[in-house]
Amino acid sequence: MRHTLAVLVENRPGVLTRVAGLFSRRGYNIESLAVGTTEDPKVSRMTIVVDGDDHVIEQVCKQLYKLVDVIRLDDITHEEHVDRELILIKVDADPSTRGEIVQIVEIFRARIVDIGKDSLIIEATGDQGKINAIESALVPFGIREVVRTGKIAMVRGAKYRHE
């Protein structure tokens, strides 16, 4: 089962390396990892998606808590939360197919952010299902390049789960 971990860490050089190294040393695969600063510039937030059973996730959490840079860690998998991903897709687009691609972009409430001579770059945000669906819808036109951010997530309601 995929788990989503929200991890607050000190915003210092090397923290990401220590966290990623912990996963690597233990043989746990990170499905996605997104990092950014919070409202406090001294603190960064990591959203880590990792696959594993409850025992594996418990071990991962215990190991993460041992790192001095980790301030707070929550497994928000079963919490009510909002999650999003961002995707940029460069797709083949000659004049005969552009209209059809524009219709797909509108259906998914995505945006065309660049127009080339024979290509388009499309930006979309949404949950993983939406992102997978738009990517699949564009495959027949010829996808040249895809970049995805990985999941970011925030628990609904109070700032943190136990507040």
Side-chain angles (χ1 to χ4, degrees), residues 97-161:
T97 60
R98 284 187 187 223
E100 197 173 345
I101 292 170
V102 168
Q103 286 179 337
I104 291 171
V105 167
E106 289 173 357
I107 289 169
F108 285 96
R109 296 183 185 162
R111 298 182 330 146
I112 295 172
V113 294
D114 187 66
I115 299 172
K117 181 180 172 192
D118 56 356
S119 66
L120 298 171
I121 297 178
I122 298 157
E123 170 192 290
T125 58
D127 62 22
Q128 190 177 36
K130 176 182 174 181
I131 299 303
N132 290 341
I134 191 169
E135 187 177 353
S136 294
L138 294 170
V139 164
F141 299 99
I143 292 178
R144 291 185 181 183
E145 195 173 354
V146 173
V147 180
R148 292 174 77 148
T149 60
K151 182 195 273 189
I152 58 170
M154 183 176 281
V155 173
R156 295 181 185 267
K159 186 172 180 182
Y160 296 109
R161 184 171 49 180

Side-chain angles (χ1 to χ4, degrees), residues 61-75:
C61 292
K62 286 179 179 175
Q63 295 297 318
L64 282 171
Y65 263 127
K66 288 181 181 178
L67 297 177
V68 295
D69 304 306
V70 173
I71 300 167
R72 181 182 179 93
L73 186 155
D74 290 306
D75 181 353

